[in-house]
Amino acid sequence: MKNKTVVTRVGCAILAASLFFCGCSAGGGTAANESGAADNAAASDEAATAESGDETVAGVKPELLVVSFGTSYNSSRSVTIGGIESTLREQFPDYDVVRAFTSQTIIDKIKERDGVAIFNVTEALDDAVSRGVKKIVVQPTHLMDGFEYTDLKEELEKYADKFDAVALGEPLLTDDADYEALVFALKEKMSAYDDGKTAICFMGHGTEADSNEDYAILQQKMTEAGLSNYYVATVEAEPTFTDVIDAVKEKGGYTKAVLVPLMVVAGDHATNDMAGDEDDSWKSL
């Protein structure tokens, strides 16, 4: 594919900011209304004038397809995924910004429950082709290069000859600069809790893919930055929350713990696995 990293750096900066929308939402904050882009639609300007002829045709803008795993938590979706899309829309006004989810289960649930249709990736790409889009930039909101990102790359390759130009942005954590930027952002956002007596524990999702090592790398980068009271664990892989509890006990001296979702969306994991009242929730443990 061409120009693979056209929006990579911009996408990463916006994703880093989105992690903190997630934290606020999980705590019951007020959700903003989703912007003019409906769940399955671009903020289209049907009367758009053709720009540099090789990128657009009359009335059709180039497209920025924002691909997320998705969530059925409506209020969280509006301030997390919706927040990313709104920022991209502001920064790239010459593009139609379109939403797609990779989880068909979530798409089906929202359709059945709310009557709201959201594109999957294939539907979004077919829609772009049918509308005569000539240039498409695909930016995932994935944190790492896992199975979802691999599937996205493979699906996009099938459409390489359908557009004049195709670009794919990278996930949030791709190179050392990404880790350093995320550590800096986390440090800034958590500074109010960083009193030396508080264990700050981040909840990642976890994956069976090789990219699960990103959590260990992030932990290492935090330690190298002097954030010895910052801990990273996952819900579905390693390190586990038990590993974090053991590390916290071993270091000792803490009087408080703060739990933070290291995810784009505050959905079921943040609401229940982290902050729920069940005996095995992170809060209870």
Side-chain angles (χ1 to χ4, degrees):
M1 288 181 288
K2 310 168 187 176
N3 303 322
K4 181 176 182 293
T5 58
V6 169
V7 295
T8 298
R9 298 303 95 191
V10 174
C12 287
I14 293 167
L15 280 176
S18 79
L19 290 171
F20 308 111
F21 296 148
C22 168
C24 293
S25 179
T30 301
N33 290 330
E34 294 198 51
S35 64
D39 278 307
N40 65 338
S44 303
D45 179 2
E46 297 297 339
T49 305
E51 304 172 33
S52 53
D54 61 338
E55 295 186 356
T56 65
V57 295
V60 181
K61 289 183 178 182
E63 180 174 309
L64 176 52
L65 178 60
V66 185
V67 178
S68 306
F69 179 81
T71 179
S72 61
Y73 283 63
N74 292 345
S75 60
S76 179
R77 186 171 68 246
S78 70
V79 296
T80 54
I81 295 172
I84 294 170
E85 293 165 345
S86 294
T87 304
L88 288 171
R89 192 170 296 109
E90 293 170 1
Q91 295 199 9
F92 298 95
D94 295 331
Y95 284 73
D96 272 339
V97 176
V98 178
R99 170 181 294 177
F101 286 175
T102 59
S103 173
Q104 191 63 48
T105 299
I106 290 175
I107 291 172
D108 293 343
K109 181 176 181 178
I110 295 172
K111 176 66 174 179
E112 179 180 355
R113 184 191 66 195
D114 304 327
V116 175
I118 299 175
F119 286 141
N120 61 33
V121 174
T122 300
E123 291 168 341
L125 293 171
D126 286 342
D127 175 74
V129 172
S130 70
R131 290 187 291 106
V133 172
K134 297 301 180 182
K135 175 181 178 180
I136 187 165
V137 177
V138 179
Q139 179 60 53
T141 65
H142 303 141
L143 267 66
M144 57 188 59
D145 186 355
F147 294 135
E148 297 287 328
Y149 188 70
T150 299
D151 290 344
L152 175 60
K153 286 189 289 187
E154 292 176 351
E155 184 69 13
L156 192 55
E157 286 171 359
K158 300 174 185 177
Y159 287 79
D161 61 348
K162 304 289 186 181
F163 304 97
D164 292 344
V166 178
L168 175 62
E170 294 172 337
L172 174 66
L173 296 176
T174 300
D175 58 29
D176 283 344
D178 296 333
Y179 289 100
E180 292 167 4
L182 180 57
V183 169
F184 178 80
L186 294 174
K187 180 181 179 180
E188 289 290 299
K189 290 293 182 179
M190 302 307 298
S191 60
Y193 304 100
D194 199 355
D195 57 5
K197 298 181 180 180
T198 301
I200 301 174
C201 309
F202 296 96
M203 171 187 270
H205 186 278
T207 175
E208 294 180 358
D210 292 341
S211 56
N212 191 73
E213 68 178 6
D214 289 355
Y215 296 109
I217 296 172
L218 180 60
Q219 180 71 74
Q220 178 183 348
K221 295 292 185 182
M222 288 177 172
T223 302
E224 291 174 353
L227 304 176
S228 59
N229 57 321
Y230 282 47
Y231 301 89
V232 180
T234 67
V235 183
E236 298 188 0
E238 295 182 346
T240 66
F241 191 54
T242 299
D243 295 329
V244 166
I245 291 176
D246 291 343
V248 167
K249 286 181 177 179
E250 182 178 354
K251 183 175 180 181
Y254 293 117
T255 59
K256 183 170 62 175
V258 174
L259 305 178
V260 188
L262 188 70
M263 303 175 184
V264 171
V265 171
D268 184 64
H269 288 310
T271 303
N272 297 313
D273 294 321
M274 187 185 79
D277 294 326
E278 295 80 5
D279 291 341
D280 60 349
S281 75
W282 284 26
K283 183 183 73 173
S284 297
L285 292 172

